[in-house]
């Protein structure tokens, strides 16, 4: 008696990741990575703005948040 334990592959030959197509998961990972990079850039910008306010008080604000 044989059972079908073969992985469910797409017609492209990739293994499925859970119920999802691999391209969907890769896209989700790229979006997540971009959000992490955006959060890091926002944190560096906020820290830089705070340092700039201490070093050169007054003047026009370029970063307003």
């Amino acid at each position: 008696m044989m059972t079908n334990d073969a992985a469910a592959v797409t017609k492209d030959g990739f293994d499925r990741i859970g119920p999802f197509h691999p391209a969907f998961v890769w896209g989700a990972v790229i979006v997540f990575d971009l959000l992490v990079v955006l959060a890091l850039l926002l944190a560096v910008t906020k820290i830089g703005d705070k340092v700039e306010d201490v070093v050169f008080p007054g003047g026009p604000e370029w970063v307003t948040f």
Side-chain angles (χ1 to χ4, degrees):
M1 178 172 190
M2 299 184 85
T3 59
N4 190 4
D5 290 337
V9 296
T10 63
K11 59 184 167 184
D12 301 333
F14 295 111
D15 290 337
R16 289 194 164 277
I17 302 170
F20 304 111
H21 191 278
F24 177 78
V25 177
W26 297 334
V29 169
I30 289 172
V31 168
F32 177 75
D33 288 346
L34 289 175
L35 287 174
V36 168
V37 168
L38 182 67
L40 289 173
L41 288 175
L42 182 64
V44 168
T45 302
K46 186 131 176 101
I47 291 169
D49 184 52
K50 295 289 184 187
V51 170
E52 183 268 333
D53 288 341
V54 170
V55 174
F56 299 111
E61 283 292 323
W62 288 17
V63 178
T64 56
F65 53 85

